[in-house]
Amino acid sequence: MIRLFPFAIAGAAGRAAQAATPFSATGGTITTSGGYTIHTFTANGDFVVTGGGKDVEYLIVAGGGGGSGTFYGGGGGAGGMKTGTFTALAAGTYAAVVGAGGAGADSAAGASGANSSINSTTSTGGGGGGNVNGANGGSGGGGGKGLAGAQSGTAGTGTAGQGNDGGTTDTGSGGGGGGATAVGANGSGNTGGAGGAGTASSISGAAVTDAGGGGGGGAAAG
């Protein structure tokens, strides 16, 4: 997912100055909040700027990793999350690439998510949850118990500035996937570790939390 918010200069004076020289662009799902326009991409598309030279705030989230369906498998890591500002974005066409989430897998490790990018800025796909070892990614996948039932998987590593590591496992449950704000919790006994928390952003006009990690697998009831 990619959100773009033109006129992103802090303070009333900065916003008023940018509003006096309108920014013109198309692409994505266009909404408004407080008199400003937000472009949201949930699939690949083009952000076409016809009146450039303005600052554009961005939020880029990659696809999350899939969880492992192995007994006590690890949870998938959240897709990497980047925020910042494109300064004086020139007129032109900017390809928005929205990464898909990784597929979960039965009796195997989950697949890692795909990257998201725009204007040469890339967020890294989340690491897949491990049937043993979690994969590295924007946030790392959680470690799993393994098919043999006696292994202790390691957590996948997150990418600095984008996410956090996954959780590890003991011989009883899977670790949670890392999130944008926190590491995944370690598995303990028969309880899978919780996924790491995401990060709240108000770029869309209201606070929305993105990039939370997936929980690890625990014991079946009965």
Side-chain angles (χ1 to χ4, degrees):
M1 180 273 297
I2 297 173
R3 292 195 183 104
L4 302 168
F5 181 38
F7 321 128
I9 290 182
R15 289 178 179 269
Q18 285 205 342
T21 308
F23 181 97
S24 179
T26 60
T29 299
I30 300 174
T31 56
T32 59
S33 176
Y36 296 96
T37 303
I38 303 103
H39 298 253
T40 302
F41 292 84
T42 55
N44 294 349
D46 288 331
F47 183 58
V48 182
V49 178
T50 54
K54 301 300 178 185
D55 293 350
V56 176
E57 186 178 359
Y58 63 80
L59 182 150
I60 304 172
V61 180
S68 171
T70 305
F71 286 137
Y72 318 116
M81 179 174 174
K82 279 188 174 182
T83 59
T85 301
F86 297 133
T87 303
L89 194 66
T93 298
Y94 300 86
V97 177
V98 178
D106 185 19
S107 301
S112 294
N115 297 346
S116 293
S117 64
I118 188 169
N119 193 32
S120 301
T121 301
T122 300
S123 290
T124 305
N131 62 332
V132 180
N133 297 325
N136 301 334
S139 281
K145 179 178 176 179
L147 289 171
Q151 301 178 71
S152 183
T154 60
T157 301
T159 301
Q162 298 189 36
N164 290 278
D165 298 347
T168 59
T169 177
D170 57 18
T171 56
S173 57
T181 292
V183 299
N186 297 337
S188 177
N190 292 324
T191 303
T199 295
S201 169
S202 298
I203 190 174
S204 61
V208 176
T209 298
D210 296 298

